[in-house]
Amino acid sequence: TAGITQAPTSQILAAGRSMTLRCTQDMRHNAMYWYRQDLGLGLRLIHYSNTAGTTGKGEVPDGYSVSRANTDDFPLTLASAVPSQTSVYFCASSEWGDYGYTFGSGTRLTVV
Amino acid sequence: AQKVTQAQTEISVVEKEDVTLDCVYETRDTTYYLFWYKQPPSGELVFLIRRNSFDEQNEISGRYSWNFQKSTSSFNFTITASQVVDSAVYFCALSEAILTGGGNKLTFGTGTQLKVEL
């Protein structure tokens, strides 16, 4: 089934440790995004990439980094996790000019 | 800046009742899209509907209907004869003009938790 694959599904991480959330799409969409979902705040954009080789900052980029080495993969890295990064993380993709998104199934991250 | 407001944090209804979820948006763009997503307890985000700013025709799809009114910047969602399986968090979202370089940003409301009880 075409779509977005996120891994891991869930993770418990010690504060101060680093971690990379993986995201892979097979639709050849140009644009990809990372959102975090927190209770009472909805989904907020962390980083985005309009095309391979480019990235941009969203609303809440601090503490996160991304890379886009190719069209399909868009990993999100937490260099030194803090408890406030406990959240559900969604990866998404879209084609240019298409205002809709395809979402992954999410990664639930708990930083303790 | 774009903004989406879902004033209803939580709604509880009894099965078979009709329920309307409210969404008010703010944007300076003349071209934009509005969305409703459903997030059931399993956690995935399920796309329900997309409407562009030039199409105010309201739509009915089975038990779902949508009321888009540009004059009041509202995009409300109604479930007729609600069922327990409708219990979920519902998000309204607004698509911003293309981000520099080609992508687009979705701005989400904070969500409305709908509980349908027997």
Side-chain angles (χ1 to χ4, degrees), chain A residues 33 35 37 40 50 59 90 94 96 98-101, chain B residues 33 35 39 43 50 91 95 100 102-104 106 110:
Chain A
Y33 316 84
Y35 281 79
Q37 181 182 10
N50 287 318
E59 298 174 68
F90 285 97
S94 71
W96 290 355
D98 181 353
Y99 287 73
Y101 280 16
Chain B
Y33 280 77
F35 299 80
Q39 187 176 44
R50 172 172 67 187
F91 290 98
S95 188
T100 302
N104 63 280
L106 277 181
T110 52

mmCIF file with all atom_site columns, all heavy atoms in Angstrom, chain A residues 33 35 37 40 50 59 90 94 96 98-101, chain B residues 33 35 39 43 50 91 95 100 102-104 106 110:
data_model
loop_
_atom_site.group_PDB
_atom_site.id
_atom_site.type_symbol
_atom_site.label_atom_id
_atom_site.label_alt_id
_atom_site.label_comp_id
_atom_site.label_asym_id
_atom_site.label_entity_id
_atom_site.label_seq_id
_atom_site.pdbx_PDB_ins_code
_atom_site.Cartn_x
_atom_site.Cartn_y
_atom_site.Cartn_z
_atom_site.occupancy
_atom_site.B_iso_or_equiv
_atom_site.pdbx_formal_charge
_atom_site.auth_seq_id
_atom_site.auth_comp_id
_atom_site.auth_asym_id
_atom_site.auth_atom_id
_atom_site.pdbx_PDB_model_num
ATOM 1   N N   . TYR A 1 33  ? 7.033   16.910 5.594  1.00 0.00 ? 33  TYR A N   1
ATOM 2   C CA  . TYR A 1 33  ? 6.829   17.729 6.788  1.00 0.00 ? 33  TYR A CA  1
ATOM 3   C C   . TYR A 1 33  ? 6.935   16.857 8.041  1.00 0.00 ? 33  TYR A C   1
ATOM 4   O O   . TYR A 1 33  ? 6.627   15.668 8.010  1.00 0.00 ? 33  TYR A O   1
ATOM 5   C CB  . TYR A 1 33  ? 5.427   18.359 6.777  1.00 0.00 ? 33  TYR A CB  1
ATOM 6   C CG  . TYR A 1 33  ? 5.002   18.944 5.450  1.00 0.00 ? 33  TYR A CG  1
ATOM 7   C CD1 . TYR A 1 33  ? 4.435   18.131 4.471  1.00 0.00 ? 33  TYR A CD1 1
ATOM 8   C CD2 . TYR A 1 33  ? 5.155   20.297 5.174  1.00 0.00 ? 33  TYR A CD2 1
ATOM 9   C CE1 . TYR A 1 33  ? 4.048   18.658 3.240  1.00 0.00 ? 33  TYR A CE1 1
ATOM 10  C CE2 . TYR A 1 33  ? 4.761   20.837 3.954  1.00 0.00 ? 33  TYR A CE2 1
ATOM 11  C CZ  . TYR A 1 33  ? 4.214   20.004 2.995  1.00 0.00 ? 33  TYR A CZ  1
ATOM 12  O OH  . TYR A 1 33  ? 3.833   20.532 1.785  1.00 0.00 ? 33  TYR A OH  1
ATOM 13  N N   . TYR A 1 35  ? 5.326   17.176 11.978 1.00 0.00 ? 35  TYR A N   1
ATOM 14  C CA  . TYR A 1 35  ? 4.466   17.857 12.936 1.00 0.00 ? 35  TYR A CA  1
ATOM 15  C C   . TYR A 1 35  ? 4.561   17.132 14.273 1.00 0.00 ? 35  TYR A C   1
ATOM 16  O O   . TYR A 1 35  ? 4.798   15.932 14.329 1.00 0.00 ? 35  TYR A O   1
ATOM 17  C CB  . TYR A 1 35  ? 2.999   17.803 12.479 1.00 0.00 ? 35  TYR A CB  1
ATOM 18  C CG  . TYR A 1 35  ? 2.626   18.795 11.412 1.00 0.00 ? 35  TYR A CG  1
ATOM 19  C CD1 . TYR A 1 35  ? 2.942   18.570 10.071 1.00 0.00 ? 35  TYR A CD1 1
ATOM 20  C CD2 . TYR A 1 35  ? 1.940   19.960 11.729 1.00 0.00 ? 35  TYR A CD2 1
ATOM 21  C CE1 . TYR A 1 35  ? 2.601   19.478 9.093  1.00 0.00 ? 35  TYR A CE1 1
ATOM 22  C CE2 . TYR A 1 35  ? 1.577   20.872 10.752 1.00 0.00 ? 35  TYR A CE2 1
ATOM 23  C CZ  . TYR A 1 35  ? 1.918   20.629 9.441  1.00 0.00 ? 35  TYR A CZ  1
ATOM 24  O OH  . TYR A 1 35  ? 1.568   21.539 8.477  1.00 0.00 ? 35  TYR A OH  1
ATOM 25  N N   . GLN A 1 37  ? 2.151   16.588 17.800 1.00 0.00 ? 37  GLN A N   1
ATOM 26  C CA  . GLN A 1 37  ? 0.795   16.748 18.318 1.00 0.00 ? 37  GLN A CA  1
ATOM 27  C C   . GLN A 1 37  ? 0.828   16.699 19.825 1.00 0.00 ? 37  GLN A C   1
ATOM 28  O O   . GLN A 1 37  ? 1.291   15.727 20.422 1.00 0.00 ? 37  GLN A O   1
ATOM 29  C CB  . GLN A 1 37  ? -0.134  15.649 17.801 1.00 0.00 ? 37  GLN A CB  1
ATOM 30  C CG  . GLN A 1 37  ? -1.561  15.808 18.308 1.00 0.00 ? 37  GLN A CG  1
ATOM 31  C CD  . GLN A 1 37  ? -2.481  14.707 17.853 1.00 0.00 ? 37  GLN A CD  1
ATOM 32  O OE1 . GLN A 1 37  ? -2.066  13.707 17.310 1.00 0.00 ? 37  GLN A OE1 1
ATOM 33  N NE2 . GLN A 1 37  ? -3.770  14.895 18.067 1.00 0.00 ? 37  GLN A NE2 1
ATOM 34  N N   . GLY A 1 40  ? -4.374  19.707 23.498 1.00 0.00 ? 40  GLY A N   1
ATOM 35  C CA  . GLY A 1 40  ? -4.783  21.094 23.642 1.00 0.00 ? 40  GLY A CA  1
ATOM 36  C C   . GLY A 1 40  ? -4.104  22.061 22.702 1.00 0.00 ? 40  GLY A C   1
ATOM 37  O O   . GLY A 1 40  ? -4.471  23.246 22.656 1.00 0.00 ? 40  GLY A O   1
ATOM 38  N N   . ASN A 1 50  ? 10.824  21.236 0.936  1.00 0.00 ? 50  ASN A N   1
ATOM 39  C CA  . ASN A 1 50  ? 10.083  21.400 -0.308 1.00 0.00 ? 50  ASN A CA  1
ATOM 40  C C   . ASN A 1 50  ? 10.565  20.450 -1.393 1.00 0.00 ? 50  ASN A C   1
ATOM 41  O O   . ASN A 1 50  ? 9.816   20.122 -2.317 1.00 0.00 ? 50  ASN A O   1
ATOM 42  C CB  . ASN A 1 50  ? 10.209  22.838 -0.812 1.00 0.00 ? 50  ASN A CB  1
ATOM 43  C CG  . ASN A 1 50  ? 9.387   23.800 0.030  1.00 0.00 ? 50  ASN A CG  1
ATOM 44  O OD1 . ASN A 1 50  ? 8.264   23.483 0.397  1.00 0.00 ? 50  ASN A OD1 1
ATOM 45  N ND2 . ASN A 1 50  ? 9.947   24.959 0.333  1.00 0.00 ? 50  ASN A ND2 1
ATOM 46  N N   . GLU A 1 59  ? 7.022   26.138 12.925 1.00 0.00 ? 59  GLU A N   1
ATOM 47  C CA  . GLU A 1 59  ? 6.670   26.913 14.120 1.00 0.00 ? 59  GLU A CA  1
ATOM 48  C C   . GLU A 1 59  ? 7.528   26.592 15.329 1.00 0.00 ? 59  GLU A C   1
ATOM 49  O O   . GLU A 1 59  ? 7.837   27.468 16.136 1.00 0.00 ? 59  GLU A O   1
ATOM 50  C CB  . GLU A 1 59  ? 5.223   26.615 14.520 1.00 0.00 ? 59  GLU A CB  1
ATOM 51  C CG  . GLU A 1 59  ? 4.155   26.965 13.544 1.00 0.00 ? 59  GLU A CG  1
ATOM 52  C CD  . GLU A 1 59  ? 2.810   26.472 14.048 1.00 0.00 ? 59  GLU A CD  1
ATOM 53  O OE1 . GLU A 1 59  ? 2.317   27.015 15.066 1.00 0.00 ? 59  GLU A OE1 1
ATOM 54  O OE2 . GLU A 1 59  ? 2.258   25.531 13.448 1.00 0.00 ? 59  GLU A OE2 1
ATOM 55  N N   . PHE A 1 90  ? 4.143   13.248 13.755 1.00 0.00 ? 90  PHE A N   1
ATOM 56  C CA  . PHE A 1 90  ? 3.587   12.815 12.476 1.00 0.00 ? 90  PHE A CA  1
ATOM 57  C C   . PHE A 1 90  ? 4.442   13.344 11.336 1.00 0.00 ? 90  PHE A C   1
ATOM 58  O O   . PHE A 1 90  ? 4.778   14.530 11.283 1.00 0.00 ? 90  PHE A O   1
ATOM 59  C CB  . PHE A 1 90  ? 2.158   13.333 12.293 1.00 0.00 ? 90  PHE A CB  1
ATOM 60  C CG  . PHE A 1 90  ? 1.140   12.605 13.113 1.00 0.00 ? 90  PHE A CG  1
ATOM 61  C CD1 . PHE A 1 90  ? 0.720   13.112 14.336 1.00 0.00 ? 90  PHE A CD1 1
ATOM 62  C CD2 . PHE A 1 90  ? 0.584   11.414 12.661 1.00 0.00 ? 90  PHE A CD2 1
ATOM 63  C CE1 . PHE A 1 90  ? -0.222  12.445 15.093 1.00 0.00 ? 90  PHE A CE1 1
ATOM 64  C CE2 . PHE A 1 90  ? -0.359  10.730 13.414 1.00 0.00 ? 90  PHE A CE2 1
ATOM 65  C CZ  . PHE A 1 90  ? -0.752  11.253 14.635 1.00 0.00 ? 90  PHE A CZ  1
ATOM 66  N N   . SER A 1 94  ? 3.354   15.964 0.562  1.00 0.00 ? 94  SER A N   1
ATOM 67  C CA  . SER A 1 94  ? 2.398   16.509 -0.397 1.00 0.00 ? 94  SER A CA  1
ATOM 68  C C   . SER A 1 94  ? 3.120   16.788 -1.702 1.00 0.00 ? 94  SER A C   1
ATOM 69  O O   . SER A 1 94  ? 4.339   16.957 -1.737 1.00 0.00 ? 94  SER A O   1
ATOM 70  C CB  . SER A 1 94  ? 1.743   17.789 0.125  1.00 0.00 ? 94  SER A CB  1
ATOM 71  O OG  . SER A 1 94  ? 2.676   18.865 0.138  1.00 0.00 ? 94  SER A OG  1
ATOM 72  N N   . TRP A 1 96  ? 3.674   19.381 -4.880 1.00 0.00 ? 96  TRP A N   1
ATOM 73  C CA  . TRP A 1 96  ? 3.595   20.824 -5.071 1.00 0.00 ? 96  TRP A CA  1
ATOM 74  C C   . TRP A 1 96  ? 2.265   21.195 -5.698 1.00 0.00 ? 96  TRP A C   1
ATOM 75  O O   . TRP A 1 96  ? 1.807   20.561 -6.642 1.00 0.00 ? 96  TRP A O   1
ATOM 76  C CB  . TRP A 1 96  ? 4.719   21.302 -5.997 1.00 0.00 ? 96  TRP A CB  1
ATOM 77  C CG  . TRP A 1 96  ? 6.063   21.235 -5.404 1.00 0.00 ? 96  TRP A CG  1
ATOM 78  C CD1 . TRP A 1 96  ? 6.393   20.896 -4.130 1.00 0.00 ? 96  TRP A CD1 1
ATOM 79  C CD2 . TRP A 1 96  ? 7.285   21.516 -6.063 1.00 0.00 ? 96  TRP A CD2 1
ATOM 80  N NE1 . TRP A 1 96  ? 7.747   20.949 -3.959 1.00 0.00 ? 96  TRP A NE1 1
ATOM 81  C CE2 . TRP A 1 96  ? 8.328   21.334 -5.119 1.00 0.00 ? 96  TRP A CE2 1
ATOM 82  C CE3 . TRP A 1 96  ? 7.617   21.912 -7.357 1.00 0.00 ? 96  TRP A CE3 1
ATOM 83  C CZ2 . TRP A 1 96  ? 9.664   21.522 -5.451 1.00 0.00 ? 96  TRP A CZ2 1
ATOM 84  C CZ3 . TRP A 1 96  ? 8.945   22.094 -7.673 1.00 0.00 ? 96  TRP A CZ3 1
ATOM 85  C CH2 . TRP A 1 96  ? 9.960   21.908 -6.723 1.00 0.00 ? 96  TRP A CH2 1
ATOM 86  N N   . ASP A 1 98  ? -0.552  20.863 -4.539 1.00 0.00 ? 98  ASP A N   1
ATOM 87  C CA  . ASP A 1 98  ? -1.648  20.093 -3.953 1.00 0.00 ? 98  ASP A CA  1
ATOM 88  C C   . ASP A 1 98  ? -1.703  20.464 -2.487 1.00 0.00 ? 98  ASP A C   1
ATOM 89  O O   . ASP A 1 98  ? -0.760  20.228 -1.744 1.00 0.00 ? 98  ASP A O   1
ATOM 90  C CB  . ASP A 1 98  ? -1.399  18.600 -4.117 1.00 0.00 ? 98  ASP A CB  1
ATOM 91  C CG  . ASP A 1 98  ? -2.536  17.770 -3.544 1.00 0.00 ? 98  ASP A CG  1
ATOM 92  O OD1 . ASP A 1 98  ? -3.445  18.341 -2.900 1.00 0.00 ? 98  ASP A OD1 1
ATOM 93  O OD2 . ASP A 1 98  ? -2.526  16.550 -3.742 1.00 0.00 ? 98  ASP A OD2 1
ATOM 94  N N   . TYR A 1 99  ? -2.804  21.038 -2.067 1.00 0.00 ? 99  TYR A N   1
ATOM 95  C CA  . TYR A 1 99  ? -2.862  21.545 -0.714 1.00 0.00 ? 99  TYR A CA  1
ATOM 96  C C   . TYR A 1 99  ? -3.134  20.459 0.319  1.00 0.00 ? 99  TYR A C   1
ATOM 97  O O   . TYR A 1 99  ? -3.199  20.732 1.496  1.00 0.00 ? 99  TYR A O   1
ATOM 98  C CB  . TYR A 1 99  ? -3.948  22.618 -0.624 1.00 0.00 ? 99  TYR A CB  1
ATOM 99  C CG  . TYR A 1 99  ? -3.562  23.917 -1.295 1.00 0.00 ? 99  TYR A CG  1
ATOM 100 C CD1 . TYR A 1 99  ? -3.511  24.026 -2.668 1.00 0.00 ? 99  TYR A CD1 1
ATOM 101 C CD2 . TYR A 1 99  ? -3.246  25.036 -0.537 1.00 0.00 ? 99  TYR A CD2 1
ATOM 102 C CE1 . TYR A 1 99  ? -3.163  25.210 -3.278 1.00 0.00 ? 99  TYR A CE1 1
ATOM 103 C CE2 . TYR A 1 99  ? -2.901  26.230 -1.139 1.00 0.00 ? 99  TYR A CE2 1
ATOM 104 C CZ  . TYR A 1 99  ? -2.860  26.319 -2.505 1.00 0.00 ? 99  TYR A CZ  1
ATOM 105 O OH  . TYR A 1 99  ? -2.502  27.496 -3.105 1.00 0.00 ? 99  TYR A OH  1
ATOM 106 N N   . GLY A 1 100 ? -3.320  19.253 -0.082 1.00 0.00 ? 100 GLY A N   1
ATOM 107 C CA  . GLY A 1 100 ? -3.602  18.185 0.863  1.00 0.00 ? 100 GLY A CA  1
ATOM 108 C C   . GLY A 1 100 ? -2.370  17.406 1.248  1.00 0.00 ? 100 GLY A C   1
ATOM 109 O O   . GLY A 1 100 ? -1.368  17.393 0.536  1.00 0.00 ? 100 GLY A O   1
ATOM 110 N N   . TYR A 1 101 ? -2.426  16.753 2.364  1.00 0.00 ? 101 TYR A N   1
ATOM 111 C CA  . TYR A 1 101 ? -1.322  15.976 2.887  1.00 0.00 ? 101 TYR A CA  1
ATOM 112 C C   . TYR A 1 101 ? -1.681  14.497 2.926  1.00 0.00 ? 101 TYR A C   1
ATOM 113 O O   . TYR A 1 101 ? -2.839  14.134 3.079  1.00 0.00 ? 101 TYR A O   1
ATOM 114 C CB  . TYR A 1 101 ? -1.052  16.340 4.347  1.00 0.00 ? 101 TYR A CB  1
ATOM 115 C CG  . TYR A 1 101 ? -0.266  17.585 4.632  1.00 0.00 ? 101 TYR A CG  1
ATOM 116 C CD1 . TYR A 1 101 ? -0.047  18.583 3.700  1.00 0.00 ? 101 TYR A CD1 1
ATOM 117 C CD2 . TYR A 1 101 ? 0.249   17.773 5.906  1.00 0.00 ? 101 TYR A CD2 1
ATOM 118 C CE1 . TYR A 1 101 ? 0.656   19.723 4.019  1.00 0.00 ? 101 TYR A CE1 1
ATOM 119 C CE2 . TYR A 1 101 ? 0.966   18.909 6.240  1.00 0.00 ? 101 TYR A CE2 1
ATOM 120 C CZ  . TYR A 1 101 ? 1.171   19.885 5.295  1.00 0.00 ? 101 TYR A CZ  1
ATOM 121 O OH  . TYR A 1 101 ? 1.882   21.004 5.628  1.00 0.00 ? 101 TYR A OH  1
ATOM 122 N N   . TYR B 2 33  ? -7.294  26.422 1.199  1.00 0.00 ? 33  TYR B N   1
ATOM 123 C CA  . TYR B 2 33  ? -8.086  25.207 1.322  1.00 0.00 ? 33  TYR B CA  1
ATOM 124 C C   . TYR B 2 33  ? -8.395  24.964 2.792  1.00 0.00 ? 33  TYR B C   1
ATOM 125 O O   . TYR B 2 33  ? -7.587  25.269 3.671  1.00 0.00 ? 33  TYR B O   1
ATOM 126 C CB  . TYR B 2 33  ? -7.329  24.001 0.765  1.00 0.00 ? 33  TYR B CB  1
ATOM 127 C CG  . TYR B 2 33  ? -7.385  23.874 -0.736 1.00 0.00 ? 33  TYR B CG  1
ATOM 128 C CD1 . TYR B 2 33  ? -6.591  24.679 -1.543 1.00 0.00 ? 33  TYR B CD1 1
ATOM 129 C CD2 . TYR B 2 33  ? -8.238  22.966 -1.349 1.00 0.00 ? 33  TYR B CD2 1
ATOM 130 C CE1 . TYR B 2 33  ? -6.626  24.564 -2.926 1.00 0.00 ? 33  TYR B CE1 1
ATOM 131 C CE2 . TYR B 2 33  ? -8.284  22.843 -2.729 1.00 0.00 ? 33  TYR B CE2 1
ATOM 132 C CZ  . TYR B 2 33  ? -7.480  23.649 -3.504 1.00 0.00 ? 33  TYR B CZ  1
ATOM 133 O OH  . TYR B 2 33  ? -7.525  23.535 -4.865 1.00 0.00 ? 33  TYR B OH  1
ATOM 134 N N   . PHE B 2 35  ? -9.819  21.903 5.543  1.00 0.00 ? 35  PHE B N   1
ATOM 135 C CA  . PHE B 2 35  ? -9.869  20.453 5.684  1.00 0.00 ? 35  PHE B CA  1
ATOM 136 C C   . PHE B 2 35  ? -10.535 20.082 7.005  1.00 0.00 ? 35  PHE B C   1
ATOM 137 O O   . PHE B 2 35  ? -10.506 20.844 7.977  1.00 0.00 ? 35  PHE B O   1
ATOM 138 C CB  . PHE B 2 35  ? -8.448  19.860 5.722  1.00 0.00 ? 35  PHE B CB  1
ATOM 139 C CG  . PHE B 2 35  ? -7.629  20.112 4.497  1.00 0.00 ? 35  PHE B CG  1
ATOM 140 C CD1 . PHE B 2 35  ? -6.991  21.326 4.311  1.00 0.00 ? 35  PHE B CD1 1
ATOM 141 C CD2 . PHE B 2 35  ? -7.484  19.133 3.542  1.00 0.00 ? 35  PHE B CD2 1
ATOM 142 C CE1 . PHE B 2 35  ? -6.214  21.561 3.182  1.00 0.00 ? 35  PHE B CE1 1
ATOM 143 C CE2 . PHE B 2 35  ? -6.713  19.356 2.412  1.00 0.00 ? 35  PHE B CE2 1
ATOM 144 C CZ  . PHE B 2 35  ? -6.081  20.565 2.242  1.00 0.00 ? 35  PHE B CZ  1
ATOM 145 N N   . GLN B 2 39  ? -9.414  11.818 13.960 1.00 0.00 ? 39  GLN B N   1
ATOM 146 C CA  . GLN B 2 39  ? -8.391  11.023 14.619 1.00 0.00 ? 39  GLN B CA  1
ATOM 147 C C   . GLN B 2 39  ? -9.063  10.089 15.620 1.00 0.00 ? 39  GLN B C   1
ATOM 148 O O   . GLN B 2 39  ? -9.386  10.474 16.730 1.00 0.00 ? 39  GLN B O   1
ATOM 149 C CB  . GLN B 2 39  ? -7.359  11.898 15.321 1.00 0.00 ? 39  GLN B CB  1
ATOM 150 C CG  . GLN B 2 39  ? -6.174  11.109 15.876 1.00 0.00 ? 39  GLN B CG  1
ATOM 151 C CD  . GLN B 2 39  ? -5.121  12.000 16.487 1.00 0.00 ? 39  GLN B CD  1
ATOM 152 O OE1 . GLN B 2 39  ? -5.434  12.935 17.221 1.00 0.00 ? 39  GLN B OE1 1
ATOM 153 N NE2 . GLN B 2 39  ? -3.850  11.705 16.198 1.00 0.00 ? 39  GLN B NE2 1
ATOM 154 N N   . GLY B 2 43  ? -5.294  6.577  16.692 1.00 0.00 ? 43  GLY B N   1
ATOM 155 C CA  . GLY B 2 43  ? -4.264  7.597  16.539 1.00 0.00 ? 43  GLY B CA  1
ATOM 156 C C   . GLY B 2 43  ? -3.964  8.102  15.152 1.00 0.00 ? 43  GLY B C   1
ATOM 157 O O   . GLY B 2 43  ? -3.344  9.159  15.004 1.00 0.00 ? 43  GLY B O   1
ATOM 158 N N   . ARG B 2 50  ? -11.928 18.172 1.805  1.00 0.00 ? 50  ARG B N   1
ATOM 159 C CA  . ARG B 2 50  ? -11.155 19.347 1.449  1.00 0.00 ? 50  ARG B CA  1
ATOM 160 C C   . ARG B 2 50  ? -12.062 20.287 0.665  1.00 0.00 ? 50  ARG B C   1
ATOM 161 O O   . ARG B 2 50  ? -12.836 19.848 -0.195 1.00 0.00 ? 50  ARG B O   1
ATOM 162 C CB  . ARG B 2 50  ? -9.958  18.961 0.583  1.00 0.00 ? 50  ARG B CB  1
ATOM 163 C CG  . ARG B 2 50  ? -9.214  20.148 0.013  1.00 0.00 ? 50  ARG B CG  1
ATOM 164 C CD  . ARG B 2 50  ? -7.931  19.727 -0.664 1.00 0.00 ? 50  ARG B CD  1
ATOM 165 N NE  . ARG B 2 50  ? -8.143  18.937 -1.854 1.00 0.00 ? 50  ARG B NE  1
ATOM 166 C CZ  . ARG B 2 50  ? -7.149  18.356 -2.517 1.00 0.00 ? 50  ARG B CZ  1
ATOM 167 N NH1 . ARG B 2 50  ? -5.912  18.459 -2.080 1.00 0.00 ? 50  ARG B NH1 1
ATOM 168 N NH2 . ARG B 2 50  ? -7.381  17.663 -3.600 1.00 0.00 ? 50  ARG B NH2 1
ATOM 169 N N   . PHE B 2 91  ? -10.260 17.427 13.719 1.00 0.00 ? 91  PHE B N   1
ATOM 170 C CA  . PHE B 2 91  ? -9.426  18.609 13.506 1.00 0.00 ? 91  PHE B CA  1
ATOM 171 C C   . PHE B 2 91  ? -9.863  19.334 12.241 1.00 0.00 ? 91  PHE B C   1
ATOM 172 O O   . PHE B 2 91  ? -10.027 18.718 11.180 1.00 0.00 ? 91  PHE B O   1
ATOM 173 C CB  . PHE B 2 91  ? -7.953  18.228 13.353 1.00 0.00 ? 91  PHE B CB  1
ATOM 174 C CG  . PHE B 2 91  ? -7.302  17.750 14.606 1.00 0.00 ? 91  PHE B CG  1
ATOM 175 C CD1 . PHE B 2 91  ? -7.156  16.396 14.858 1.00 0.00 ? 91  PHE B CD1 1
ATOM 176 C CD2 . PHE B 2 91  ? -6.841  18.661 15.543 1.00 0.00 ? 91  PHE B CD2 1
ATOM 177 C CE1 . PHE B 2 91  ? -6.547  15.946 16.022 1.00 0.00 ? 91  PHE B CE1 1
ATOM 178 C CE2 . PHE B 2 91  ? -6.231  18.220 16.708 1.00 0.00 ? 91  PHE B CE2 1
ATOM 179 C CZ  . PHE B 2 91  ? -6.086  16.862 16.946 1.00 0.00 ? 91  PHE B CZ  1
ATOM 180 N N   . SER B 2 95  ? -5.024  25.444 4.846  1.00 0.00 ? 95  SER B N   1
ATOM 181 C CA  . SER B 2 95  ? -3.782  25.337 4.088  1.00 0.00 ? 95  SER B CA  1
ATOM 182 C C   . SER B 2 95  ? -3.328  26.712 3.650  1.00 0.00 ? 95  SER B C   1
ATOM 183 O O   . SER B 2 95  ? -4.054  27.428 2.959  1.00 0.00 ? 95  SER B O   1
ATOM 184 C CB  . SER B 2 95  ? -3.962  24.433 2.884  1.00 0.00 ? 95  SER B CB  1
ATOM 185 O OG  . SER B 2 95  ? -2.720  24.198 2.264  1.00 0.00 ? 95  SER B OG  1
ATOM 186 N N   . THR B 2 100 ? 7.721   29.024 0.585  1.00 0.00 ? 100 THR B N   1
ATOM 187 C CA  . THR B 2 100 ? 8.780   29.374 -0.352 1.00 0.00 ? 100 THR B CA  1
ATOM 188 C C   . THR B 2 100 ? 9.432   28.098 -0.875 1.00 0.00 ? 100 THR B C   1
ATOM 189 O O   . THR B 2 100 ? 9.987   27.321 -0.130 1.00 0.00 ? 100 THR B O   1
ATOM 190 C CB  . THR B 2 100 ? 9.843   30.247 0.343  1.00 0.00 ? 100 THR B CB  1
ATOM 191 O OG1 . THR B 2 100 ? 9.208   31.411 0.859  1.00 0.00 ? 100 THR B OG1 1
ATOM 192 C CG2 . THR B 2 100 ? 10.925  30.644 -0.637 1.00 0.00 ? 100 THR B CG2 1
ATOM 193 N N   . GLY B 2 102 ? 7.654   25.706 -2.804 1.00 0.00 ? 102 GLY B N   1
ATOM 194 C CA  . GLY B 2 102 ? 6.710   24.768 -3.406 1.00 0.00 ? 102 GLY B CA  1
ATOM 195 C C   . GLY B 2 102 ? 5.809   23.999 -2.482 1.00 0.00 ? 102 GLY B C   1
ATOM 196 O O   . GLY B 2 102 ? 4.778   23.497 -2.893 1.00 0.00 ? 102 GLY B O   1
ATOM 197 N N   . GLY B 2 103 ? 6.161   23.846 -1.207 1.00 0.00 ? 103 GLY B N   1
ATOM 198 C CA  . GLY B 2 103 ? 5.286   23.087 -0.324 1.00 0.00 ? 103 GLY B CA  1
ATOM 199 C C   . GLY B 2 103 ? 4.194   23.971 0.238  1.00 0.00 ? 103 GLY B C   1
ATOM 200 O O   . GLY B 2 103 ? 4.053   25.136 -0.131 1.00 0.00 ? 103 GLY B O   1
ATOM 201 N N   . ASN B 2 104 ? 3.410   23.441 1.117  1.00 0.00 ? 104 ASN B N   1
ATOM 202 C CA  . ASN B 2 104 ? 2.378   24.235 1.771  1.00 0.00 ? 104 ASN B CA  1
ATOM 203 C C   . ASN B 2 104 ? 2.237   23.820 3.217  1.00 0.00 ? 104 ASN B C   1
ATOM 204 O O   . ASN B 2 104 ? 2.537   22.692 3.569  1.00 0.00 ? 104 ASN B O   1
ATOM 205 C CB  . ASN B 2 104 ? 1.039   24.084 1.057  1.00 0.00 ? 104 ASN B CB  1
ATOM 206 C CG  . ASN B 2 104 ? 0.519   22.674 1.093  1.00 0.00 ? 104 ASN B CG  1
ATOM 207 O OD1 . ASN B 2 104 ? 0.951   21.830 0.323  1.00 0.00 ? 104 ASN B OD1 1
ATOM 208 N ND2 . ASN B 2 104 ? -0.403  22.399 1.993  1.00 0.00 ? 104 ASN B ND2 1
ATOM 209 N N   . LEU B 2 106 ? -0.074  23.312 6.611  1.00 0.00 ? 106 LEU B N   1
ATOM 210 C CA  . LEU B 2 106 ? -1.396  23.165 7.202  1.00 0.00 ? 106 LEU B CA  1
ATOM 211 C C   . LEU B 2 106 ? -1.368  23.726 8.612  1.00 0.00 ? 106 LEU B C   1
ATOM 212 O O   . LEU B 2 106 ? -0.524  23.344 9.412  1.00 0.00 ? 106 LEU B O   1
ATOM 213 C CB  . LEU B 2 106 ? -1.812  21.698 7.253  1.00 0.00 ? 106 LEU B CB  1
ATOM 214 C CG  . LEU B 2 106 ? -2.425  21.071 6.009  1.00 0.00 ? 106 LEU B CG  1
ATOM 215 C CD1 . LEU B 2 106 ? -2.792  19.624 6.289  1.00 0.00 ? 106 LEU B CD1 1
ATOM 216 C CD2 . LEU B 2 106 ? -3.654  21.837 5.554  1.00 0.00 ? 106 LEU B CD2 1
ATOM 217 N N   . THR B 2 110 ? -7.182  23.207 17.450 1.00 0.00 ? 110 THR B N   1
ATOM 218 C CA  . THR B 2 110 ? -6.765  22.397 18.595 1.00 0.00 ? 110 THR B CA  1
ATOM 219 C C   . THR B 2 110 ? -7.584  21.116 18.746 1.00 0.00 ? 110 THR B C   1
ATOM 220 O O   . THR B 2 110 ? -7.307  20.308 19.613 1.00 0.00 ? 110 THR B O   1
ATOM 221 C CB  . THR B 2 110 ? -6.846  23.204 19.890 1.00 0.00 ? 110 THR B CB  1
ATOM 222 O OG1 . THR B 2 110 ? -8.155  23.786 19.980 1.00 0.00 ? 110 THR B OG1 1
ATOM 223 C CG2 . THR B 2 110 ? -5.805  24.317 19.898 1.00 0.00 ? 110 THR B CG2 1
#
